[in-house]
Amino acid sequence: MPLRLDVKRKLLARSDRVKCVDLHPTETWLLAALYNGNVHIWNYETQTLVKSFEVCDVPVRAAKFVPRKSWVVTGSDDMHIRIFNYNTLERVHQFEAHSDYLRSLVVHPTLPYVISSSDDMLVKMWDWDNKWAMKQSFEGHTHYVMQIAINPKDNNTFATASLDKTVKVWQFGSNVPNFTLEGHEKGVNCVDYYHGGEKPYIISGADDHLVKIWDYQNKTCVQTLDGHAQNVSSVCFHPELPLIITGSEDSTVRLWHANTYRLETTLNYGLERVWCIQAQKGANTVAIGYDEGSVTLKLGREEPAVSMDSSGKILWAKHSEIQQANLKTISAEESEAIQDGERLPLSVKDLGSSEIYPQTLAHSSNGRFVVACGDGEYIVYTAMALRNKDFGQGLEFVWAVDPNMFAVRESATNVKIKKNFKDHKSIRSDMVLEGISGGPLLALRSTNSLCFFDWESAVLVRRIEITSKNIYWSDNGEMVAICGDESFYVLKYNADAVANATDVTEDGIEDAFEVIGEQTEVVKTGFWIGDCFIFTTALNRINYYVGGEIVTIAHVDRPLYLLGYMAKESRVYAVDKDLNVISYKLILSVLEYQTAVMRRDFDSADKVLATIPKEQRTRVAHFLEKQGFKKQALAVSQDPDHRFDLAVALGDLKTAYDLAIQMDSEEKWKALSNAATLKSELMLAGECLGRARDYGGLMLLATCAGSAPLLQKLSVESAAAESHNISFLSSLLLGDIDSCLDKLIATGRLPEAAFLARTHAPSRVQSILDLWKNKASSHSEKSSKKIGESLADPVKYENLFPGFAESLKRESFIREISKIPVPANVRVPSVANRNVEQELEEAVASGVVSFTEDGQAVLKNAPPSEKQQLKAPAPPQMARQPSPARESSPVPVREPTPVREPTPEPAQYEEEEEEEFGDNQEEIHVPNEEEDAFGTSKTPDVVLETSRPDIVPPRGSTAPDVVSAPAPQEVQEDRWSDDDFGDAENGDLNMDDLNLDEED
């Protein structure tokens, strides 16, 4: 029977003639050495040219990766070996290695050696750790040495192929060959070693169009492959598959079975002559170089032949060798220390060799037997000693639930059922079968339908019109997953309906299956644990399906193939293509709890929850959150971050505040401040913003609340934290122009300080201008000296600053009247509507203001009504009111009118309103302030509507800047607290209060 082998082309890259190819062991890179002197590196997965560089102007006949050094080593017709760093494309070294064309290069797998062969009939070994000194020279061939191959089982020996019609085997340290293999009638072009341990074989290809397989222990030719019509230019034993790959100048690549030497397939991609073939170790990738480009292929499937029984014994096939590993050999201490995704330290035992190349292995339900299937044959072995129990021809083999019953797909239409290793039933299908699946029922899969048959009677149970790839049954035989190309279906099997059926149609029994759900996930491998379906996806995830919901166990970086589940260890086991066994923790009680919740069986869920380990409860909490049970998730979760997020989502600010103090994270404080703001808990929001050092948020809060103490504190703290913009704006809103100027000077913003002083504080223009001139003069004389000289001084050049003296008087006037408190019943016009010059003239005319000799304004003792009139002249239009002014502000403003917040009792509110807004409205009580760590009042501050974020009153002002307000009340929302059902952290849960029904 032919070897079942899929050939998938990954890359076809056209280029100049390719003389050598190589595959990177870890990257998806193809290295191609070209006849035009260039080297290309292709990514065969993305089909893109990753790197390209010119080596020389003559053909490059050899090129190899050196991954441990990030090098590419090349040999060319100018007799030089060159070494390049393939990351930077920098040439690391070059030297003249031979006296004629270089034909081949190989890199030693462990030692720092590169071996080269040439048309000068010599083979030389070079040591890169010793400055590329020649370690040894091998002389013995009488013609060009075309290729070198290192023995993979003995790295101290290598073989060479020469046009002198021989293959010679050499050993390091010896100048003469160990032996010579003669048999070709013309020059030998290529040579390679067999990689498996059971056959000491060498393969060679020559210009006589023949391929020969040699036994290098007996020095005899064991097989000759005749099929090519021209010179054989390249040969290769595939390191993973039982394949021999040969390439010829007849433009074909032929694939031969390595055991039977039968020609399996012939490939021709129309790229003219084949020059080189390279197979990647540990993978099924093959690279081929042609006259007109290069091709990368993927042969067969990379899923390993591996199976695990219920006791934890694992069998796998390496080539034709069967090996065993046992999970029970891992000690309890080692098992506890194992992390998810780590490779398990398993001891491997060789059981023997199989007569066929196994492509699949499968245990029977009781684990006594294991079947190896491949090469169109099957062999049933005893699992312990690997003794033959049964064998035969078969494309596919599946077990029934009964360990003594199995089925074999003998052809595309015929399936044979055996019981106790004897023929029992036969099913001849009217459709072309693509595969069969075992379990409680025998499933036959075709292109567009799926048929279930009874094992005993071979009678059709149900035909389903669906395209399927795999069938997975649960252990109890009630649930089945039918997996297709893009999705999978979960069905429930009704055994009673099948047993009692009377009406059987041509499609079987209609009530045999009930559709439970459909999921758009591509299932690669899977199995059931109870009602939970564990599977791997095409996106390299390990998921499980329970009750209509898919939960991700882990994201992995490579394809994994599931083996099974061990309930005692509570772990899911999987294997990769390199036969590394890894595991992931999956608590059975967690699955039972999630199944109960999805079924809305909350009583059972509460009982199971008590058995779930503490470290797994956070996973349960995430599941509850996805189902909408956030209160219960908050109670169950053990992760502070998760609990904080849940508390914020539920509006439980007290719990969130306690958790934020515990974690003390800037991110958490900001999140809590946002939640508190939404709940109008402004005091809590202010504290959170302060702890998070969110000065922008504190400014927003301070301006909205009209809190001068908080702005003052913010100005100081933000300056210390070098948040100069916030500090400047805080001082500006306070009306502290002098502080604003000082901040601009301290940060070197002298031009801005000068212009701000010219507008709001002319008395400081002189000092700031001097600083500006000095700074300008300290720079280079060519450019900055002229700038310093061009700055005009208002004192020296009064003609350039008309009205500057009057602006000094107006500044002094503004500074004095800003000290006058403004009653709450007085409206002050906005800055845009004020005429300070007119106000000053009226004040001087009325005698309220006078000036000293040095120009300082003095307010006379006028009656309060006159001062009030002086402070607040009637504006022509007044739409909005500015905020109150701070001492040293250049513009007079009024204090805010206090606003009383409503209380729940209307009658009480009216009584308090009469007390506060009585006849004497100017006498307003200022409550005692207890400032917290941020200088904020314990009651929210309120500012009047204003035309701009103007100026709030200074700390020393007699007018109030805060009003009394009710203390913020705690969140009264009904929630699920730890006190209601016990201590979640200590595992003490009160199941009576874990009421999922109410949340549902």
Side-chain angles (χ1 to χ4, degrees):
M1 297 298 290
L3 179 68
R4 292 189 302 162
L5 197 65
D6 297 327
V7 179
K8 184 178 180 181
R9 190 181 70 196
K10 304 290 289 185
L11 172 73
L12 192 155
R14 291 190 176 272
S15 64
D16 198 41
R17 183 183 304 169
V18 178
K19 297 300 292 182
C20 183
V21 291
D22 194 20
L23 292 166
H24 197 283
T26 57
E27 303 288 345
T28 56
W29 288 352
L30 163 69
L31 176 68
L34 306 185
Y35 196 78
N36 61 10
N38 293 332
V39 169
H40 290 174
I41 299 178
W42 293 85
N43 186 320
Y44 52 81
E45 289 291 344
T46 62
Q47 301 185 7
T48 56
L49 181 63
V50 178
K51 301 175 189 296
S52 175
F53 55 94
E54 183 179 0
V55 176
C56 55
D57 55 1
V58 293
V60 179
R61 298 183 185 271
K64 293 291 180 182
F65 281 116
V66 188
R68 58 186 184 270
K69 303 291 286 185
S70 297
W71 287 346
V72 169
V73 180
T74 65
S76 49
D77 283 1
D78 60 0
M79 292 85 77
H80 279 71
I81 291 179
R82 293 176 175 85
I83 303 93
F84 297 85
N85 185 306
Y86 58 65
N87 292 321
T88 64
L89 302 185
E90 174 189 6
R91 188 173 65 196
V92 178
H93 190 65
Q94 74 169 8
F95 60 95
E96 185 173 342
H98 290 270
S99 59
D100 208 337
Y101 296 169
L102 269 85
R103 290 287 180 174
S104 177
L105 291 173
V106 292
V107 180
H108 196 279
T110 57
L111 299 175
Y113 299 155
V114 171
I115 306 174
S116 62
S117 68
S118 168
D119 287 356
D120 62 6
M121 300 177 289
L122 297 179
V123 177
K124 296 182 180 181
M125 184 167 63
W126 310 92
D127 185 353
W128 70 64
D129 278 352
N130 192 20
K131 299 181 180 179
W132 292 95
M134 187 177 70
K135 187 78 174 176
Q136 189 177 351
S137 177
F138 303 88
E139 184 175 355
H141 281 293
T142 59
H143 210 306
Y144 302 164
V145 185
M146 302 299 291
Q147 191 173 10
I148 310 168
I150 294 180
N151 189 343
K153 296 182 283 292
D154 180 8
N155 297 152
N156 291 321
T157 61
F158 63 93
T160 55
S162 172
L163 294 186
D164 60 9
K165 308 177 187 179
T166 66
V167 173
K168 293 183 183 292
V169 176
W170 311 77
Q171 187 165 358
F172 294 166
S174 173
N175 293 325
V176 296
N178 293 351
F179 55 87
T180 301
L181 301 175
E182 298 180 354
H184 285 287
E185 297 178 358
K186 292 186 179 181
V188 183
N189 295 311
C190 44
V191 66
D192 193 21
Y193 275 93
Y194 182 75
H195 293 262
E198 70 277 11
K199 297 176 182 178
Y201 286 177
I202 287 177
I203 186 172
S204 61
D207 289 343
D208 57 7
H209 309 172
L210 299 179
V211 175
K212 290 185 178 290
I213 293 97
W214 308 82
D215 185 326
Y216 57 76
Q217 289 183 348
N218 299 327
K219 285 83 173 175
T220 58
C221 177
V222 297
Q223 186 71 32
T224 298
L225 305 180
D226 187 2
H228 285 291
Q230 293 293 332
N231 300 344
V232 178
S233 55
S234 184
V235 294
C236 172
F237 272 119
H238 197 286
E240 305 298 328
L241 300 172
L243 278 179
I244 295 171
I245 309 172
T246 61
S248 166
E249 295 181 23
D250 62 7
S251 305
T252 66
V253 172
R254 295 176 182 259
L255 276 59
W256 314 75
H257 198 295
N259 297 330
T260 64
Y261 306 112
R262 181 181 57 245
L263 178 64
E264 297 289 343
T265 186
T266 301
L267 306 176
N268 190 336
Y269 291 100
L271 298 177
E272 299 300 330
R273 294 175 293 180
V274 179
W275 291 110
C276 48
I277 298 173
Q278 180 70 36
Q280 185 177 10
K281 187 177 181 180
N284 293 352
T285 307
V286 175
I288 309 170
Y290 291 87
D291 263 340
E292 297 181 0
S294 52
V295 172
T296 305
L297 307 175
K298 184 147 291 189
L299 304 177
R301 63 174 194 169
E302 291 191 347
E303 181 176 350
V306 61
S307 178
M308 184 178 81
D309 65 11
S310 57
S311 66
K313 293 178 182 176
I314 304 172
L315 291 180
W316 62 62
K318 270 194 171 181
H319 307 291
S320 296
E321 300 171 1
I322 308 297
Q323 296 178 330
Q324 183 188 68
N326 196 339
L327 296 177
K328 291 184 178 179
T329 59
I330 302 176
S331 64
E333 295 78 9
E334 290 176 330
S335 180
E336 290 295 329
I338 291 173
Q339 299 294 321
D340 285 355
E342 283 188 358
R343 179 177 178 270
L344 300 183
L346 295 174
S347 57
V348 179
K349 174 184 176 183
D350 291 327
L351 291 183
S353 298
S354 174
E355 292 84 347
I356 62 174
Y357 178 81
Q359 290 183 299
T360 60
L361 291 176
H363 278 93
S364 60
S365 59
N366 60 4
R368 288 184 57 196
F369 303 109
V370 63
V371 62
C373 191
D375 296 346
E377 301 178 16
Y378 74 89
I379 303 176
V380 178
Y381 298 99
T382 57
M384 295 297 295
L386 213 67
R387 293 191 181 95
N388 286 24
K389 191 69 177 176
D390 192 24
F391 64 92
Q393 300 291 328
L395 300 176
E396 202 169 1
F397 182 105
V398 294
W399 291 101
V401 175
D402 183 353
N404 296 316
M405 186 173 285
F406 57 85
V408 179
R409 182 166 69 94
E410 296 182 327
S411 65
T413 58
N414 190 47
V415 176
K416 181 182 291 184
I417 300 175
K418 284 192 172 186
K419 186 175 182 180
N420 295 324
F421 303 102
K422 297 180 180 179
D423 292 350
H424 178 64
K425 294 286 183 179
S426 180
I427 300 175
R428 181 168 294 277
S429 174
D430 56 355
M431 55 189 179
V432 177
L433 300 179
E434 290 191 342
I436 58 176
S437 299
L441 297 177
L442 174 61
L444 276 59
R445 307 191 311 272
S446 67
T447 306
N448 53 13
S449 65
L450 174 65
C451 296
F452 289 97
F453 289 85
D454 181 73
W455 283 96
E456 287 289 344
S457 62
V459 173
L460 177 67
V461 175
R462 188 75 173 106
R463 183 195 302 269
I464 302 174
E465 298 298 326
I466 188 174
T467 301
S468 60
K469 295 295 183 184
N470 283 302
I471 310 296
Y472 300 98
W473 286 87
S474 62
D475 293 336
N476 58 13
E478 292 183 358
M479 308 292 289
V480 60
I482 302 176
C483 306
D485 289 328
E486 298 180 353
S487 63
F488 71 90
Y489 295 86
V490 176
L491 282 68
K492 185 174 183 180
Y493 175 57
N494 191 343
D496 293 337
V498 173
N500 301 325
T502 56
D503 184 15
V504 180
T505 66
E506 62 177 7
D507 289 334
I509 303 168
E510 292 186 0
D511 297 333
F513 291 95
E514 176 189 355
V515 178
I516 302 299
E518 177 189 4
Q519 296 291 332
T520 55
E521 289 277 4
V522 180
V523 176
K524 292 299 185 182
T525 58
F527 63 87
W528 287 83
I529 305 175
D531 290 343
C532 177
F533 180 52
I534 316 290
F535 62 94
T536 57
T537 72
L539 300 177
N540 294 338
R541 294 177 187 155
I542 303 177
N543 295 343
Y544 64 86
Y545 168 91
V546 54
E549 183 75 13
I550 289 181
V551 181
T552 298
I553 300 174
H555 296 262
V556 293
D557 57 355
R558 62 193 185 280
L560 294 181
Y561 309 95
L562 294 178
L563 295 174
Y565 178 78
M566 300 292 289
K568 184 179 179 181
E569 290 79 13
S570 296
R571 285 192 168 272
V572 173
Y573 294 91
V575 65
D576 61 14
K577 67 178 182 179
D578 297 322
L579 300 176
N580 297 313
V581 180
I582 61 177
S583 66
Y584 291 89
K585 193 80 170 178
L586 187 61
I587 306 298
L588 186 59
S589 57
V590 173
L591 301 180
E592 293 174 350
Y593 179 84
Q594 292 173 340
T595 302
V597 171
M598 295 304 301
R599 292 176 174 176
R600 297 302 190 262
D601 184 1
F602 302 124
D603 293 336
S604 299
D606 291 344
K607 295 177 183 177
V608 174
L609 182 60
T611 66
I612 296 177
K614 178 180 175 182
E615 61 271 11
Q616 293 294 323
R617 288 184 179 170
T618 299
R619 173 176 289 183
V620 173
H622 282 289
F623 172 78
L624 289 171
E625 181 186 8
K626 288 182 179 179
Q627 301 305 315
F629 303 117
K630 291 185 179 180
K631 293 181 182 179
Q632 289 81 352
L634 176 62
V636 173
S637 179
Q638 304 292 310
D639 182 11
D641 287 328
H642 187 218
R643 298 191 70 213
F644 176 86
D645 295 337
L646 289 170
V648 170
L650 290 168
D652 188 354
L653 301 185
K654 181 180 182 302
T655 302
Y657 178 80
D658 294 339
L659 291 167
I661 289 179
Q662 176 184 342
M663 293 181 286
D664 195 21
S665 165
E666 178 179 327
E667 178 186 357
K668 302 302 181 188
W669 286 117
K670 287 183 178 181
L672 183 55
S673 70
N674 293 334
T677 303
L678 292 174
K679 290 281 186 180
S680 298
E681 298 284 355
L682 299 184
M683 302 310 303
L684 177 60
E687 180 179 356
C688 296
L689 290 170
R691 289 181 181 270
R693 298 187 178 276
D694 186 354
Y695 298 117
L698 281 171
M699 169 166 281
L700 176 63
L701 182 63
T703 53
C704 291
S707 176
L710 181 55
L711 274 177
Q712 184 65 38
K713 184 78 172 178
L714 178 61
S715 175
V716 175
E717 291 192 356
S718 58
E722 296 185 352
S723 296
H724 299 298
N725 287 341
I726 298 295
S727 179
F728 177 85
L729 286 174
S730 301
S731 298
L732 184 64
L733 291 172
L734 288 168
D736 193 349
I737 298 299
D738 289 330
S739 177
C740 292
L741 292 173
D742 293 339
K743 289 177 172 58
L744 290 173
I745 294 171
T747 55
R749 309 298 291 270
L750 295 177
E752 292 89 338
F755 284 107
L756 181 64
R758 178 69 180 88
T759 305
H760 293 287
S763 61
R764 297 194 59 180
V765 169
Q766 179 67 42
S767 60
I768 296 174
L769 190 60
D770 292 341
L771 294 173
W772 191 3
K773 286 185 175 182
N774 292 336
K775 183 177 180 180
S777 300
S778 64
H779 292 284
S780 59
E781 296 184 356
K782 288 185 179 181
S783 59
S784 300
K785 186 176 181 181
K786 297 179 182 179
I787 295 176
E789 292 176 353
S790 63
L791 297 175
D793 189 339
V795 178
K796 295 180 181 179
Y797 302 96
E798 294 183 2
N799 59 316
L800 298 179
F801 299 89
F804 182 75
E806 289 76 6
S807 66
L808 293 173
K809 291 183 178 182
R810 287 193 289 271
E811 177 193 0
S812 179
F813 168 68
I814 292 297
R815 288 181 182 271
E816 288 298 319
I817 65 173
S818 64
K819 300 175 184 179
I820 304 173
V822 181
N825 62 342
V826 176
R827 292 182 177 273
V828 179
S830 64
V831 176
N833 293 325
R834 295 189 62 178
N835 189 332
V836 179
E837 183 178 1
Q838 181 181 353
E839 292 178 23
L840 178 58
E841 291 176 356
E842 293 176 355
V844 172
S846 62
V848 176
V849 177
S850 62
F851 290 91
T852 61
E853 294 181 358
D854 56 357
Q856 296 297 318
V858 178
L859 297 182
K860 297 182 180 180
N861 293 328
S865 59
E866 293 185 14
K867 286 189 176 182
Q868 178 178 320
Q869 185 177 5
L870 174 67
K871 184 74 175 179
Q877 270 187 336
M878 185 89 137
R880 306 182 70 183
Q881 299 80 33
S883 301
R886 177 178 173 83
E887 184 177 354
S888 76
S889 172
V891 290
V893 293
R894 61 173 290 273
E895 303 286 353
T897 303
V899 178
R900 183 71 179 178
E901 291 196 5
T903 59
E905 297 80 15
Q908 182 184 355
Y909 174 82
E910 293 172 2
E911 182 180 346
E912 292 178 354
E913 187 176 29
E914 290 178 2
E915 292 179 3
E916 187 165 348
F917 299 96
D919 296 331
N920 187 7
Q921 296 186 4
E922 295 186 22
E923 297 181 4
I924 301 174
H925 171 68
V926 180
N928 294 328
E929 294 184 358
E930 296 179 8
E931 296 183 350
D932 57 15
F934 307 99
T936 59
S937 173
K938 293 300 183 182
T939 56
D941 302 313
V942 181
V943 67
L944 286 177
E945 184 183 15
T946 179
S947 59
R948 65 178 178 86
D950 212 316
I951 303 166
V952 299
R955 185 186 294 271
S957 172
T958 59
D961 66 327
V962 295
V963 295
S964 178
Q969 298 185 9
E970 291 186 1
V971 179
Q972 297 299 325
E973 183 179 351
D974 183 23
R975 61 186 178 85
W976 203 18
S977 67
D978 292 346
D979 296 335
D980 293 336
F981 52 84
D983 186 1
E985 295 184 358
N986 296 326
D988 181 19
L989 298 178
N990 184 355
M991 296 306 155
D992 294 335
D993 294 328
L994 195 61
N995 190 352
L996 295 173
D997 290 303
E998 179 181 349
E999 184 71 14
D1000 185 46

